[in-house]
């Protein structure tokens, strides 16, 4: 059974760095078919893709946010970590991690439940 | 970057209606398009990938079609559980960037 679960702080202050962890089960982060993305959704708004990491450690980022994002993985712990620097209230959103590789490799077949992060002083 | 637009942004429909949502890409994307359903407070759920392939477990009343720059998601007979927001999504290969459409909310008439 494939599952993904996000964890991290629910509240961060402006200018702080956010660190989120996605813990996966039911598949291996070393499987060459698999990748994991982070996607966020501000309240009442659309989905926004942030970053992706493949099993070979290849990474790519949203054009508009790439200077603030870092994605990494620890295969032995089955975890994918996202850091977002210089948080701002506009970064308030539900943050999801999602898997690619189970279907065409270009879409997300499994998602975590999401974690709401609020940015406020 | 490739942009995705969806139309309509909002539609009001009745149970049993046939519903069609359109997604347009700003550039050629072949058939590399997926559709998701999202209900309030829940994560998105993959419905269709590769433009027309139904994800396992998704009811057959959902179908997808299209290629190049224009794609459609059709619900043949709307059911009460289908009232939700629907998003299209694509992966651009060079540079590798995932993009979501702005969403279409399907509400009860």
């Amino acid at each position: 059974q494939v599952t993904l679960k996000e964890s991290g702080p629910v509240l961060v202050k402006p200018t702080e760095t956010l660190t989120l962890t996605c813990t996966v089960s039911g598949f291996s982060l070393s499987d060459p078919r698999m990748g994991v993305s982070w996607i966020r959704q501000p309240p009442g708004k659309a989905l926004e893709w942030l970053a992706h990491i493949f099993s070979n450690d290849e990474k790519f980022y949203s054009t508009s946010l790439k200077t603030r994002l870092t994605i990494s993985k620890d295969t032995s712990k089955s975890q994918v970590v996202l850091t977002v620097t210089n948080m701002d209230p506009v970064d308030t959103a539900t943050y999801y991690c999602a898997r690619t590789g189970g279907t065409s490799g270009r879409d997300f077949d499994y998602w975590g439940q999401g974690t709401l992060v609020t940015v406020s002083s | 970057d490739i942009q995705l637009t969806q139309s309509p942004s909002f539609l009001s429909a009745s149970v049993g209606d046939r519903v069609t949502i359109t997604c347009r890409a700003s550039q050629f994307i072949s058939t590399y398009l997926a559709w998701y359903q999202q209900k309030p407070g829940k994560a998105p759920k993959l419905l269709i990938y590769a433009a027309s392939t139904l994800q396992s477990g998704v009811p057959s009343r959902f179908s997808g079609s299209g290629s190049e720059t224009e794609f459609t998601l059709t619900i043949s007979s709307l059911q009460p559980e289908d009232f939700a927001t629907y998003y299209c999504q694509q992966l651009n290969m060079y540079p590798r960037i995932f993009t979501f459409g702005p969403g279409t909310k399907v509400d009860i008439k």
Side-chain angles (χ1 to χ4, degrees), chain B residues 2 6 8 22-23 31 35 40-41 47 54 58 60 68 73 87 89 91 95 99-100:
Chain B
I2 294 177
Q6 288 182 234
T22 298
C23 178
T31 59
W35 289 96
L47 299 175
L54 196 66
V58 174
S60 59
E68 300 189 5
L73 172 70
Y87 294 94
Q89 172 260 316
L91 169 61
T99 306
F100 287 92

Side-chain angles (χ1 to χ4, degrees), chain B residues 33-36 46-55 62-64 73:
Chain B
L33 190 96
W35 289 96
Y36 300 84
L46 178 64
L47 299 175
I48 302 279
Y49 63 93
S52 60
T53 303
L54 196 66
Q55 171 68 333
F62 291 93
S63 64
L73 172 70

Side-chain angles (χ1 to χ4, degrees), chain B residues 6-8 11 18-24 33-38 45-49 51-55 58-66 70-76 78 82 84-88 104 106:
Chain B
Q6 288 182 234
S7 59
L11 74 88
R18 181 181 182 88
V19 168
T20 298
I21 299 168
T22 298
C23 178
R24 291 186 175 86
L33 190 96
W35 289 96
Y36 300 84
Q37 176 192 67
Q38 187 181 33
K45 172 187 173 183
L46 178 64
L47 299 175
I48 302 279
Y49 63 93
S52 60
T53 303
L54 196 66
Q55 171 68 333
V58 174
S60 59
R61 63 181 180 273
F62 291 93
S63 64
S65 65
E70 186 157 330
F71 302 84
T72 59
L73 172 70
T74 300
I75 309 172
S76 60
L78 199 65
D82 301 336
T85 300
Y86 294 84
Y87 294 94
C88 57
T104 295
V106 177

Side-chain angles (χ1 to χ4, degrees), chain A residues 6 18 20 36-42 46-53 59-72 80-85 87 90-98 108 111 115 117, chain B residues 1 89-90 96-100:
Chain A
E6 306 88 352
L18 170 68
L20 294 171
V36 173
S37 269
W38 285 94
I39 296 150
R40 71 180 181 181
Q41 186 173 38
L47 300 164
E48 179 183 22
W49 174 76
L50 301 175
H52 189 83
I53 189 165
K59 305 161 190 175
F60 48 105
Y61 298 97
S62 160
T63 302
S64 60
L65 291 167
K66 65 187 304 181
T67 60
R68 299 173 53 208
L69 302 175
T70 302
I71 191 169
S72 62
V80 175
V81 176
L82 179 75
T83 63
V84 187
T85 61
M87 291 289 283
V90 300
D91 297 312
T92 293
T94 296
Y95 287 76
Y96 296 99
C97 57
F108 304 105
W111 294 64
T115 185
V117 179
Chain B
D1 297 356
Q89 172 260 316
Q90 67 90 29
R96 289 197 183 190
I97 295 175
F98 289 94
T99 306
F100 287 92

